[in-house]
Amino acid sequence: MDDSLRGKVALVTGGGSGIGRAVCLQLGHMGARVAAADLSLAGAQATVAQMADAGLEGAAYRVDVSSAAAVQALVDAVCRRWGGVDVLANTAGIYQVGGLDEIDEAAWDRLLDVNLKGAFLLCRAVVPVMRERGGGAIVNLSSISGRTKSDLAGVNYVASKAGIIGLTMCLGNQLARDGIRVNCVAPGTTDTPMVADVGAEGRAVLTKRVPLGRLGQPEEIAAAVAFLASPAASYITGETLNVNGGAFMV
């Protein structure tokens, strides 16, 4: 069993469901103590309960990632509990479909606040802690929608996920001197609660576009996140790893 994160502390936003929950479990299996943070405390608690059933150490926190004060309070709480943060996985996000004329200013602001500003706020809050510990690893979650055209995702969602890639490259460059690696995973459509909103017809359209002929599973995305967070990726920073069943190839 890979225990390369034993003794490390991981903070996972969006840890209450879907990909975030799978990331919490994967990092826990690699030996990390995991702070599962989510807007839904009940969801985060359910994740931690699953971890406990597997003999893994975790703690649940509620956080609104769009609030700088809430983010800082979260990081402070995790540091009080476990002494610091070594791994940050920014998986919190919301989704919207629709054309340009269907996205109003309020919807634009809300989605960018969660998906892009939230990742920025978490990075800003954990970097001083990681510097004190001599380094760390940050993994952001983008999307295939941030890398190529999208027929379903709203322009606000696409812009937020493209922004995540830019944020990753910028911070990967800036923080390399501190021993902090910053990378990104860009999943294709993944079988999570978020996908349920597109309906059966939308799901069929999305599946048809995947050469491997199926949607991704949260555990497959989590494996990529865990790799980038691990010492196995010690010479990788500023990169975006596509995990999409061949739906987008570079």
Side-chain angles (χ1 to χ4, degrees):
M1 185 178 72
D2 181 1
D3 63 350
S4 60
L5 295 180
R6 187 157 304 283
K8 301 296 185 181
V9 178
L11 171 55
V12 181
T13 66
S17 66
I19 292 171
R21 176 172 289 173
V23 169
C24 289
L25 289 162
Q26 179 66 39
L27 297 180
H29 280 296
M30 293 169 69
R33 292 166 288 178
V34 180
D38 201 282
L39 186 61
S40 167
L41 180 58
Q45 289 171 332
T47 295
V48 171
Q50 286 189 24
M51 293 182 65
D53 289 343
L56 310 176
E57 186 175 359
Y61 297 89
R62 184 188 183 279
V63 67
D64 175 359
V65 298
S66 69
S67 164
V71 165
Q72 189 61 57
L74 168 66
V75 173
D76 290 346
V78 175
C79 289
R80 284 194 301 271
R81 186 183 189 98
W82 285 318
V85 176
D86 302 291
V87 173
L88 168 65
N90 281 312
T91 75
I94 56 177
Y95 182 70
Q96 184 171 2
V97 300
L100 178 62
D101 56 352
E102 299 173 272
I103 309 297
D104 61 22
E105 184 178 359
W108 173 275
D109 288 345
R110 177 172 177 266
L111 195 142
L112 269 290
D113 278 352
V114 173
N115 290 10
L116 184 55
K117 178 183 171 184
F120 158 72
L121 292 176
L122 264 298
C123 290
R124 190 177 67 170
V126 303
V127 162
V129 178
M130 289 182 172
R131 283 179 175 141
E132 290 179 0
R133 291 166 79 84
I138 297 172
V139 185
N140 299 316
L141 201 69
S142 180
S143 167
I144 189 174
S145 297
R147 307 228 67 185
T148 186
K149 65 180 178 62
S150 175
D151 293 330
L152 288 176
V155 63
N156 48 355
Y157 181 80
V158 173
S160 74
K161 293 305 184 178
I164 286 289
I165 294 172
L167 176 71
T168 297
M169 291 189 291
C170 185
L171 294 183
N173 179 53
Q174 289 184 8
L175 301 177
R177 63 182 68 91
D178 298 308
I180 301 171
R181 297 182 300 103
V182 187
N183 289 293
C184 181
V185 173
T189 306
T190 307
D191 197 2
T192 68
M194 188 180 291
V195 173
D197 294 337
V198 305
E201 183 177 346
R203 185 186 180 98
V205 170
L206 293 169
T207 302
K208 187 177 181 180
R209 296 173 181 169
V210 182
L212 289 182
R214 62 176 177 83
L215 303 185
Q217 294 300 309
E219 294 76 16
E220 294 172 310
I221 311 306
V225 172
F227 163 68
L228 290 173
S230 77
S234 58
Y235 199 53
I236 302 174
T237 196
E239 291 296 329
T240 297
L241 176 59
N242 298 313
V243 186
N244 58 45
F248 174 73
M249 301 180 185
V250 178

